[in-house]
């Protein structure tokens, strides 16, 4: 499971960096931090930010700067079938939403920070996304969510997560099928994308059942070329027959599957 192992290493490095910073700020018994130490920490952070800005600039051509009419989606219920309803998030969804996000998160330590949890909730409610809660009709309980992650992108990328105790009951397929058909009809936007971990066979099967087609690979946790090459070398022993078949399906070099996630596309 390369991407999960990569995430664990990144998380460990972040925690060690935070520990080092705390020590430098006096937790190692000193009362002061030298100017040189502060400058070194700031310079390191500046380099990280510049690398992130460079990455975002490379992706800028994927943005349309956007106009979309959110008033089309003002109603509380987007769509429904006899068992489930896709509705706008409510305050009662807050705790189950946090639990779900943590359940599937690559880096669970971030949930110890209240500001991170608040940021997740604000993203869920944001006008720049189009997320809906998936709820059972019988009790209106939260069982998951689906939606467009960023309305400003040329190709709308969808995301879906279902509580583990509600998986394998057809909720994900029915919810996403309804969502895609409804949103396409209302917005006149018909092309959608989805990114899936190379080890997430369940989600791969879901995308293909819905009619998504292999499109290529997408960056996820790793953006610098040297980091991607290092991961491909470290995990090359994991390239079994399933990876080879997957590489053939997506028409990519097998080792690239170790440093990227899969991208699917669909026209509704």
């Amino acid at each position: 499971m390369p991407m999960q192992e990569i995430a664990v290493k990144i998380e460990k490095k972040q925690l060690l960096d935070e520990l080092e910073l705390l020590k430098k700020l006096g937790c190692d018994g000193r009362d002061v931090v030298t100017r040189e130490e502060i400058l070194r920490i700031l310079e390191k952070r500046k380099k990280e930010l510049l690398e992130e800005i460079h990455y975002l600039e490379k992706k800028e051509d994927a943005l349309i700067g956007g106009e979309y009419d959110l008033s089309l989606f003002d109603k509380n219920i987007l769509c429904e079938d006899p068992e489930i309803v896709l509705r706008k998030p409510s305050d009662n969804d807050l705790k189950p939403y946090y639990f779900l996000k943590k359940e599937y998160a690559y880096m669970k330590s971030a949930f110890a920070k209240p500001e991170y949890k608040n940021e997740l909730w604000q993203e869920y409610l944001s006008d720049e996304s189009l997320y809906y809660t998936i709820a059972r009709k019988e009790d209106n309980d939260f069982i998951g969510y689906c939606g467009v992650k960023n309305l400003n992108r040329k190709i709308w990328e969808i995301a879906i997560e279902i509580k583990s105790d509600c998986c394998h009951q057809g909720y994900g397929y029915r919810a996403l099928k309804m969502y895609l058909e409804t949103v396409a009809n209302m917005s006149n936007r018909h092309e959608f994308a989805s990114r899936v971990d190379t080890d997430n066979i369940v989600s791969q099967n879901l995308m293909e059942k819905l009619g998504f087609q292999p499109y290529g690979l997408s960056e996820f946790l790793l953006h610098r070329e040297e980091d991607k090459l290092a991961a491909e070398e470290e995990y090359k022993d994991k390239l079994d027959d399933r990876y080879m078949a997957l590489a053939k399906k997506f028409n990519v070099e097998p080792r690239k599957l170790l440093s990227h996630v899969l991208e699917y596309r669909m026209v509704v």
Side-chain angles (χ1 to χ4, degrees):
M1 304 172 72
M3 202 55 67
Q4 289 186 350
E5 293 181 25
I6 290 168
V8 168
K9 288 188 175 182
I10 292 174
E11 184 176 40
K12 183 177 180 181
K13 182 180 182 303
Q14 289 175 344
L15 292 172
L16 289 173
D17 287 346
E18 288 183 17
L19 180 61
E20 179 187 2
L21 180 57
L22 287 173
K23 289 180 178 179
K24 295 299 183 184
L25 293 176
C27 292
D28 57 357
R30 294 179 300 164
D31 294 327
V32 296
V33 184
T34 67
R35 180 176 181 275
E36 289 75 16
E37 287 171 335
I38 293 174
L39 289 174
R40 184 181 65 79
I41 292 169
L42 291 176
E43 188 62 31
K44 178 182 177 183
R45 184 58 183 148
K46 177 183 175 182
K47 182 180 178 182
E48 292 172 347
L49 289 172
L50 287 174
E51 289 176 352
E52 184 66 18
I53 290 170
H54 178 64
Y55 167 70
L56 292 173
E57 286 175 345
K58 287 198 304 179
K59 299 297 179 184
E60 190 175 7
D61 60 352
L63 297 173
I64 60 175
E67 292 187 5
Y68 39 85
D69 185 3
L70 278 179
S71 66
L72 294 171
F73 303 96
D74 276 347
K75 57 184 181 180
N76 185 55
I77 294 178
L78 179 71
C79 50
E80 57 187 312
D81 72 9
E83 290 187 61
I84 59 174
V85 57
L86 270 61
R87 58 165 175 77
K88 286 189 174 181
S90 70
D91 291 342
N92 291 333
D93 297 334
L94 180 61
K95 287 185 178 180
Y97 177 73
Y98 285 158
F99 182 85
L100 176 62
K101 295 300 292 183
K102 186 174 182 179
E103 183 178 14
Y104 293 114
Y106 281 108
M107 300 182 185
K108 299 185 188 303
S109 65
F111 285 80
K113 302 176 181 178
E115 62 271 20
Y116 176 75
K117 294 167 67 177
N118 181 62
E119 183 180 337
L120 281 179
W121 184 243
Q122 294 309 313
E123 287 177 359
Y124 191 43
L125 303 178
S126 171
D127 287 344
E128 293 186 354
S129 62
L130 193 61
Y131 287 123
Y132 282 85
T133 288
I134 305 168
R136 286 194 190 92
K137 264 191 171 182
E138 60 181 6
D139 53 18
N140 200 34
D141 276 356
F142 176 102
I143 61 173
Y145 73 90
C146 64
V148 173
K149 297 172 69 172
N150 187 342
L151 293 168
N152 291 313
R153 293 203 167 271
K154 288 180 181 178
I155 308 299
W156 283 358
E157 181 185 348
I158 58 95
I160 182 169
E161 287 184 317
I162 303 290
K163 290 167 58 178
S164 59
D165 59 353
C166 296
C167 288
H168 310 296
Q169 299 178 47
Y171 292 134
Y173 173 77
R174 298 206 315 275
L176 204 47
K177 187 173 188 297
M178 283 196 300
Y179 179 90
L180 290 168
E181 292 173 352
T182 303
V183 169
N185 288 334
M186 293 175 68
S187 68
N188 203 30
R189 298 286 295 268
H190 296 279
E191 188 172 7
F192 297 89
S194 177
R195 292 190 296 168
V196 180
D197 195 329
T198 55
D199 284 316
N200 192 340
I201 299 173
V202 172
S203 290
Q204 291 168 34
N205 291 338
L206 173 60
M207 292 301 111
E208 293 175 13
K209 184 178 179 181
L210 285 162
F212 280 82
Q213 299 296 317
Y215 184 80
L217 300 181
S218 180
E219 292 182 357
F220 183 47
L221 292 174
L222 303 174
H223 305 305
R224 297 190 307 175
E225 196 61 31
E226 56 264 38
D227 292 336
K228 288 184 279 190
L229 292 173
E232 291 165 15
E233 180 63 25
E234 181 175 0
Y235 299 108
K236 62 184 179 181
D237 292 342
K238 294 183 180 290
L239 291 174
D240 55 15
D241 291 343
R242 187 186 70 80
Y243 272 97
M244 294 302 177
L246 200 57
K248 184 177 181 180
K249 180 185 290 187
F250 279 79
N251 193 29
V252 296
E253 186 181 348
R255 63 183 289 136
K256 296 297 181 183
L257 296 172
L258 303 172
S259 58
H260 294 74
V261 294
L262 307 173
E263 182 170 343
Y264 290 86
R265 293 280 178 94
M266 178 186 184
V267 177
V268 179

